[in-house]
Structures are given as structure tokens and as C-alpha cells.
Amino acid sequence: GDDSGNHFEVYWFGFLESSEYAWSSKTPETIDEYWKKYVYRFFGPGNEELIPAFYNLAERVPFWDGSLMKKGNKRRKGYQHIDLPNLTSLPEEGSWLQHFQPLLATARQEKTRCADATATLKQHIGTAKDNAYNLEVFASMGEFMEAYADLVLSIEHIAGYCDKQIAASKTSTKLDESEYSKMVEKVETAWNGYVDTYKELEVLWEKSRYPKGGEGYMLNDQTAYMAGRTADLS
């Protein structure tokens, strides 16, 4: 799992599914039937709500992975970030805020859906008969992706400030300094929230695995996965 950066706990569904269909003479006819069997046997009875929550969380990954990328995704080398708002150029729309509206609208939806999935997972941590830690790991990923959505949404404040500053420069007027301070405060709040959520995830994940790094740790420069190229969990 470390090659891609994922926790080992995220693979149990696939491992058990492989065994189910490879070794059993009475395998479920559909993947939906297998999901019901998996959730019942892995977490115990009364946890059917987890099935749509897992689907929901899985559907959030592409946004986390590539929404700020012009090329590739953040998991593999060779990616390129999109151009963020700045004071030296304008997009075709003539407004950074207008340019980023589709991304911001999607980020709001992603944040809500992440929160819904994570809430369901956390509700079942205390009721799961077995493997509650698995739910904790997935919930931490949901919270991390929700914090990422907040980080993307902070672009709105940068874009709005840039639009105001560019407009002010065209009329040779001075923008109130408080506009900059408000923008910085909003962006720093989102960034600090993202970092804090990552730190909480790191503590949780390292309950069941050794921390990366340390004396003698060797980076895997040959892998395409970024996770293998860092000396820590990041």
C-alpha cells in the first residue's frame, strides 16, 4: 500500500472479493450482493448504511486527485498544477472569480458529499461488531478530502481579491489594505485546517503501521507514485 500512499485497510474489500470469487462455488451473482455479504461479515449485522457511504466516498476521490491539475494527478510524478489567480494576467473570461466558478461550484458539492459519507462511517464506528478501525481509516480519508474541498474553496477569496486589485490598478486607485488581510486570513484558515486534518490522519494511520522515514530509510526514486518518493506519509 505504501507505493500508492494508501493504508492497508483500504484493500480488504478487494482481497476478500478475490477470495470469494476464486475459491467459492456459490459466489454472489452481482457485486451488490457481494457488498451486502461483505458488510455483514466484516462489520456485523445492522450496518447496511455503510454500503452507499463507501460508494459515496469512492466517488469523491477523482476531485481530490485531479481537480487542481492541468495534467496528470497528485499521486504520480509528471503532474502540472492549474494556474492560480494572480495580478499579472487575466483568464479569457476577464475575471478570475468568473473563471473559477465551475470549480468552486463542484468543490461545494464535493464538500457536502464528503461530509455525508464521513458522518455515516463515524456513526457506525461504535456499533460495528468487528473491524471498527477500518471505518476510522476511511472516515479520516473522508475528513481529509473534505478539508481539501475547503482548500479549493479558498481560491474564491484569492480570485476575488485579484479581480478587485486589477480593477483598482486600471483606475489608478488604491485598494483598501483590509481586503488583502481578509483574503490572507481566509486562505490561511483553509490551509491550516487541511494541515491539521492531515496530522490527525497521520496519527490514526500510524496506530497500525510504522511511521515512514527514520534512520536508514531509502526513497524509491524508481516508482511513479509520489508516495514512494517521500520520506514521510505525505
Side-chain angles (χ1 to χ4, degrees):
D2 279 345
D3 278 355
S4 64
N6 283 325
H7 194 291
F8 184 84
E9 286 290 332
V10 308
Y11 298 110
W12 278 116
F13 179 89
F15 288 155
L16 297 175
E17 183 185 20
S18 298
S19 300
E20 176 78 21
Y21 284 90
W23 297 340
S24 175
S25 61
K26 296 181 180 180
T27 56
E29 293 183 1
T30 67
I31 192 67
D32 289 335
E33 290 178 0
Y34 173 71
W35 262 109
K36 293 176 183 178
K37 187 175 181 180
Y38 166 76
V39 167
Y40 181 89
R41 292 194 171 181
F42 201 67
F43 301 108
N47 290 292
E48 294 80 6
E49 285 184 348
L50 290 173
I51 298 173
F54 277 125
Y55 271 114
N56 184 357
L57 203 64
E59 290 167 356
R60 311 281 67 83
V61 174
F63 182 80
W64 173 86
D65 204 20
S67 59
L68 294 182
M69 299 300 164
K70 185 186 301 182
K71 174 186 176 184
N73 57 61
K74 63 164 61 94
R75 289 176 295 113
R76 293 175 178 268
K77 66 177 183 177
Y79 63 80
Q80 293 180 4
H81 286 111
I82 62 174
D83 296 323
L84 292 174
N86 60 77
L87 298 175
T88 60
S89 63
L90 277 172
E92 293 181 1
E93 295 88 343
S95 161
W96 281 113
L97 200 55
Q98 184 179 347
H99 175 76
F100 280 103
Q101 277 310 306
L103 174 63
L104 296 171
T106 302
R108 290 187 180 92
Q109 294 177 345
E110 292 293 317
K111 176 178 169 63
T112 299
R113 290 167 181 166
C114 268
D116 289 343
T118 304
T120 300
L121 293 170
K122 295 180 79 170
Q123 286 170 4
H124 286 264
I125 289 173
T127 61
K129 183 179 178 182
D130 298 299
N131 300 305
Y133 179 71
N134 181 274
L135 298 178
E136 292 185 64
V137 169
F138 275 102
S140 72
M141 296 168 75
E143 290 176 334
F144 190 46
M145 289 192 289
E146 184 180 348
Y148 172 78
D150 280 330
L151 190 62
V152 173
L153 286 170
S154 73
I155 294 174
E156 183 172 19
H157 304 292
I158 306 174
Y161 173 79
C162 287
D163 282 353
K164 291 178 182 179
Q165 187 65 273
I166 291 172
S169 65
K170 289 180 179 178
T171 58
S172 299
T173 57
K174 189 175 181 181
L175 197 65
D176 193 303
E177 291 183 1
S178 65
E179 294 286 347
Y180 178 77
S181 299
K182 287 187 290 185
M183 181 270 290
V184 169
E185 181 181 2
K186 296 287 186 181
V187 174
E188 286 186 342
T189 297
W191 173 251
N192 291 335
Y194 187 62
V195 171
D196 289 344
T197 306
Y198 163 74
K199 290 178 180 177
E200 292 170 3
L201 178 149
E202 186 177 39
V203 170
L204 177 71
W205 286 26
E206 290 179 352
K207 285 183 178 180
S208 64
R209 72 184 209 176
Y210 291 115
K212 281 184 69 179
E215 185 178 355
Y217 182 79
M218 296 179 64
L219 296 178
N220 184 358
D221 293 331
Q222 304 303 312
T223 181
Y225 287 117
M226 296 301 295
R229 293 168 168 260
T230 61
D232 59 11
L233 185 58
S234 67

